[in-house]
Amino acid sequence: MSTGGQATELWLLWKRAYETTRAAIIADMSAASGLSESELSVLVCLHESGGVLRQNAIAAVLGWDRTRLSHLLTRMEKRDYVARGKVGNGVEVTLRPAGRRTIDASVPALEVSTRRHLLDRLDPGDATTLKAIVERLLSEDSR
Amino acid sequence: MSTGGQATELWLLWKRAYETTRAAIIADMSAASGLSESELSVLVCLHESGGVLRQNAIAAVLGWDRTRLSHLLTRMEKRDYVARGKVGNGVEVTLRPAGRRTIDASVPALEVSTRRHLLDRLDPGDATTLKAIVERLLSEDSR
DNA sequence: GACCCCCTGTTGACATGTCAACACCACCGT
DNA sequence: ACGGTGGTGTTGACATGTCAACAGGGGGTC
């Protein structure tokens, strides 16, 4: 039947589990706040940094392409979630009241949703192990 | 600094690790075969099932939306990777020679790539644990 | 058979992401 | 001051995904 090797098999399983979990969390968050996944990511970034960040820094934290962020911020600016201002070389992104209200409401909802779809489905030991594993994957960046 | 709870923190870490790994594997596979991630998924599905599947079944296996698959298959049909034929209620998707050649070449490349970016970065024990964890996430489908 | 309902898939409009080309500014050496 | 170079963002064309509306077959029930 399956001709995939060990590594492929693990990858496909991981992929499917991640995407299933992701879909569930996105659905929750979209219902709770009307935010898309990307918008939420950006707002969480800003929230955790006090509300102001260089566009550059956001892209780095999220591991995103500059272009993608630029397009997204253009859309978010229109909805008045954030403002952009030139700073020397680059651009500074600032959380605006509407964005702050939304993200303040979303952070607790996100914790509830991630707990329900992820943390509560794992044994306490597994949660610890999973965290260790992903941290190792992220740190061994001999990319 | 960060005001996220435990569950959110774990989720964001997992997300970042997954997306980083995914990007690396996609880059490899795109270079090796010219296939996009979605096309590869569909071809792997067909490959593992002997070359013929109901459109319905593909969507179920991949956990995809009907619409997405329909659009993608339309594009893949044009490139002659697959053919579609009506069967009773639904549609049967068949692997065509060009598609078969491509996937036959890609399966070994995928194993190499997933080994390099995922399996080899984990301790043997961690690999086993990760597999167990994702299988649990997938099976406890009290969705 | 006529009707109804569910399952399957398609279509078109729109949202989002990607890619390559470009514009701009800061810094550096001369 | 001048020109070069690298880092930063934007833009437009295109690829891909999502959503809601629709089309049509199968299998019930009467």
Side-chain angles (χ1 to χ4, degrees), chain A residues 67-123:
Chain A
T67 307
R68 175 181 178 188
L69 184 59
S70 182
H71 280 305
L72 178 59
L73 286 178
T74 301
R75 297 189 292 262
M76 293 178 74
E77 233 178 345
K78 281 178 190 156
R79 296 184 214 172
D80 213 41
Y81 284 149
V82 298
R84 282 196 271 201
K86 302 205 57 171
V87 163
N89 197 353
V91 172
E92 198 175 61
V93 181
T94 312
L95 202 48
R96 306 250 299 142
R100 189 175 298 275
R101 255 181 281 115
T102 307
I103 189 59
D104 283 349
S106 297
V107 165
L110 182 58
E111 177 68 12
V112 170
S113 182
T114 51
R115 182 176 300 280
R116 183 153 73 93
H117 296 297
L118 180 58
L119 198 55
D120 282 355
R121 294 192 175 202
L122 301 173
D123 296 337

Side-chain angles (χ1 to χ4, degrees), chain A residues 8 14-15 37 47 111 126, chain B residues 8 14-15 37 111 136:
Chain A
T8 302
W14 189 24
K15 184 182 175 71
E37 183 187 18
H47 179 263
E111 177 68 12
D126 283 353
Chain B
T8 302
W14 189 25
K15 184 182 176 70
E37 182 186 18
E111 177 67 12
R136 177 132 12 102

Side-chain angles (χ1 to χ4, degrees), chain B residues 31-142:
Chain B
S33 65
L35 291 172
S36 73
E37 182 186 18
S38 314
E39 289 167 336
L40 180 60
S41 300
V42 169
L43 291 184
V44 166
C45 254
L46 285 169
H47 180 263
E48 292 189 342
S49 311
V52 182
L53 270 180
R54 284 283 298 271
Q55 197 162 314
N56 194 15
I58 300 178
V61 170
L62 297 178
W64 283 5
D65 184 85
R66 281 180 250 123
T67 306
R68 175 181 177 188
L69 183 59
S70 183
H71 281 304
L72 179 58
L73 286 178
T74 301
R75 298 188 293 261
M76 293 179 75
E77 234 178 346
K78 280 178 191 157
R79 297 183 214 173
D80 213 43
Y81 284 149
V82 298
R84 282 196 270 201
K86 302 205 57 168
V87 163
N89 198 350
V91 172
E92 198 175 62
V93 181
T94 312
L95 202 48
R96 305 250 300 142
R100 189 175 298 275
R101 255 181 281 116
T102 307
I103 189 60
D104 283 348
S106 297
V107 164
L110 181 59
E111 177 67 12
V112 169
S113 182
T114 50
R115 182 177 300 279
R116 184 152 73 93
H117 295 298
L118 178 58
L119 198 54
D120 283 354
R121 293 192 176 200
L122 301 174
D123 296 337
D126 283 353
T128 309
T129 308
L130 178 56
K131 193 175 169 207
I133 288 176
V134 298
E135 275 171 345
R136 177 132 12 102
L137 280 176
L138 283 170
S139 64
E140 276 178 19
D141 251 326
S142 54

